[in-house]
Structure formats: C-alpha cells, structure tokens
Amino acid sequence: MLLLFCWLIGVVLPLFSALGLQIASTQQLWDRAPALALGNDGRIGWRISAHGAARFIPMDGQPAEPALALSPAPQQVVRSADSQTLLLNMQGALMLMQPTAEQQWRFPLGDKPFHLPHGAVTKMALATRHPGQWRITALTDGGLTVLTLGTNQQVATIDLPQPQPQPDLLALSPAGDLLYTTEGNVLRVWQLDEDEARLRETQTLPQRPQSLHLLVGGKSLLIQDHSGISQWFAIASPQGPRLQLIRTFAHSAGPAKVVTESQRRVFATVSENGLLRLFASKQDGPILQRQLALGILAAWRQSAD
C-alpha cells in the first residue's frame, strides 16, 4: 500500500491564475489494513488503520516509528475542522486523540474511552469550541445528544427530539453552533446554544444526500447526492437565516470522495478511477483536473497557513 502526498501549486484567487499539481512524495506502507483516518502537516504524516494501528510517517523517507496499538480498535474516526483533534468510536464508546508535531499522540480527556448513558454511539460529529473545549454530537439508540466538554472535566448535555427514522448523516459547523442532520431526503438545521438546541429550518431535498461538507468557516454547505455536489448558503429572511441552493457543480456527479478545507472556498473530489478535480465556490465547474493512480482508498488535505 502506498501513501501519496500531493501539493496543489498555484493561486486560487483570482481564479484565472494558472494551477498545477505536483507529486511531493510517495511512501511505502507496510500496514495493509484500510485507513480510517490520515493526515499530514507538511513534514510528518499520520495514519490510523482499521486494525487500530496509529502511526506517524516521516515524509523525508525515514522509517516510521512503531505504531501505537489502540484497543479496542476504532470503527469510526471523525475530526474537528482544524484537524487538530480526532474523535474515535471504539465499540460505541468515545475517545479524543490529537496528533502532534513531535510525533506523539495526546489524549486531552484521558486515554480510556468514555460511554454515554443512552447507549453505544453509532454516528458522531466533532467541533472545537475553544482551546480545551469540544462539542460532540452523538447518535445512540436513545436519540441525538450534544455534549460540550473540556479539559476542566465539566460536561454539558443537550438531548434533541428523537426523529423517526433516525438521522442518516450528521455534520457540525466548525464552531459547533450549527448541527445539520438528514433523514432520507429531509435536511434539518439546528441552532446550538449553550444549554438548548433550536430547530432553525427544515428543507426537503430532491434526493437522499450521500455526504455533507462545510466550507468558508461553515458559511457554505455542500450536499453530495447521485446528481452531483450542490452548494447552499444561508440567506437572510424575515424568519431568520434560511438555506438557499446556489449552484450544482458541473462534472461533480458519480461516486467520489470529497476533500474539503473548511475555512476556504475550494474543495476536491477523487473518483473511483483516480480522477482528481478541484472546484472553487465561485465557479460552476472544476478549475483543475488530473488523473492519479488507480486504487485510491482515502484522501485528505493539508491546510495552508
């Protein structure tokens, strides 16, 4: 298995500037298990496998250090918008984990998974509220729960009304003040305050979404379905902000992984046959296209500071 690092070279704005893609490095991996999560900071890469091996990977070709064996092995990993914190689902229990530039794994709330009183977690989302404070949305058999917790050991919980059927998708805004849920083709937007959740709006979509993503600090919502990827903005109305469809991106249909940078206006898709396309929120179609190797199993971006 190979780990391929790519750099996008160019200026996105103005959009007529020339863009190019450069393969920065290719690393051989000995862990054949599928990746649950991966990332890099430009110098050090990291990877968590489905077998629970959490490993740092030097991007200068040096051998990797032995992996940290997570037990039990996580079934799901999600991350905060700033990519600094990971939330692991370990047989229904949760644990926060942070990769550091020193090639160490930090556990800001302890290295033991914690259980929720309503049962095992099946879906989840994560946002960083402030340094040392996080917001987690977790779906259990008891419904949706929003937790605000931090290193000061204080925990605040909000239980949302349980929809029927249960949500298919969850997404938190980068600041953790908005929660997006879908049930079938119904999209709900929840305003999350310190001690309550308020249903802001309900949208009936043309199709059941496959994935939800946020751009521009949470101001732009991307919805992926079988027809492609559509972009939505919250527009002021007499009833308050309401989502409005802005565009559906040309050449975005078909099975593909969506790679976003939550604070920027660009995103990429990687198709099953390795076709990489880069999109910008003010253009109707891709602004760059490049054929990569077949067999890409996971993709992630490095934030440019």
Side-chain angles (χ1 to χ4, degrees):
M1 185 175 292
L2 295 177
L3 190 63
L4 184 69
F5 294 97
C6 303
W7 295 91
L8 181 66
I9 307 299
V11 178
V12 174
L13 294 175
L15 292 174
F16 52 77
S17 299
L19 292 171
L21 187 71
Q22 174 183 328
I23 305 300
S25 64
T26 301
Q27 302 283 96
Q28 178 70 45
L29 296 181
W30 289 268
D31 186 351
R32 299 287 178 175
L36 287 180
L38 55 86
N40 77 91
D41 65 2
R43 185 179 62 87
I44 297 294
W46 57 265
R47 182 180 187 272
I48 300 176
S49 79
H51 289 169
R55 187 187 305 273
F56 287 98
I57 305 165
M59 295 176 60
D60 59 3
Q62 296 298 313
E65 296 292 328
L68 172 67
L70 299 171
S71 181
Q75 290 78 51
Q76 183 188 12
V77 180
V78 298
R79 69 190 82 201
S80 58
D82 61 7
S83 299
Q84 299 301 306
T85 307
L86 309 174
L87 177 63
L88 282 62
N89 186 339
M90 308 173 80
Q91 296 183 358
L94 302 180
M95 185 171 70
L96 288 181
M97 186 170 167
Q98 296 174 325
T100 70
E102 294 76 29
Q103 302 188 52
Q104 299 291 326
W105 296 102
R106 292 185 64 247
F107 301 89
L109 300 182
D111 60 0
K112 302 297 183 185
F114 59 90
H115 297 264
L116 300 190
H118 295 314
V121 175
T122 56
K123 293 183 175 68
M124 58 189 189
L126 173 68
T128 299
R129 295 281 286 163
H130 309 289
Q133 186 186 72
W134 298 271
R135 177 161 278 174
I136 294 171
T137 299
L139 178 65
T140 68
D141 288 341
L144 271 176
T145 299
V146 178
L147 301 94
T148 304
L149 65 174
T151 53
N152 59 6
Q153 304 299 315
Q154 294 183 353
V155 179
T157 62
I158 305 171
D159 292 325
L160 275 67
Q162 184 170 359
Q164 296 293 336
Q166 288 192 336
D168 302 313
L169 300 173
L170 306 175
L172 275 171
S173 63
D177 56 344
L178 291 175
L179 170 65
Y180 302 84
T181 68
T182 67
E183 306 106 41
N185 67 332
V186 175
L187 170 70
R188 304 184 198 276
V189 184
W190 299 84
Q191 178 72 50
L192 302 179
D193 299 324
E194 292 302 322
D195 56 359
E196 66 175 354
R198 176 176 54 86
L199 181 60
R200 193 187 80 179
E201 63 179 293
T202 300
Q203 297 275 351
T204 300
L205 305 173
Q207 299 183 40
R208 176 192 291 264
Q210 298 171 319
S211 64
L212 304 176
H213 308 272
L214 292 158
L215 299 178
V216 200
K219 297 181 177 67
S220 175
L221 173 68
L222 300 180
I223 300 178
Q224 182 187 30
D225 60 27
H226 289 292
S227 297
I229 299 172
S230 58
Q231 182 180 30
W232 299 66
F233 277 103
I235 306 298
S237 75
Q239 295 76 35
R242 293 294 183 267
L243 285 173
Q244 182 173 317
L245 175 63
I246 304 300
R247 62 174 57 82
T248 297
F249 292 95
H251 307 295
S252 64
K257 296 175 176 63
V258 180
V259 185
T260 61
E261 164 49 77
S262 65
Q263 299 299 324
R264 303 184 190 278
R265 300 176 183 272
V266 297
F267 68 95
T269 62
V270 184
S271 70
E272 293 179 336
N273 62 5
L275 181 61
L276 170 70
R277 288 189 171 112
L278 180 72
F279 296 84
S281 64
K282 293 188 177 182
Q283 295 287 306
D284 291 331
I287 59 175
L288 179 143
Q289 183 170 300
R290 173 75 178 269
Q291 181 65 51
L292 302 179
L294 297 176
I296 294 176
L297 302 177
W300 189 246
R301 87 288 184 275
Q302 174 201 339
S303 299
D305 296 328

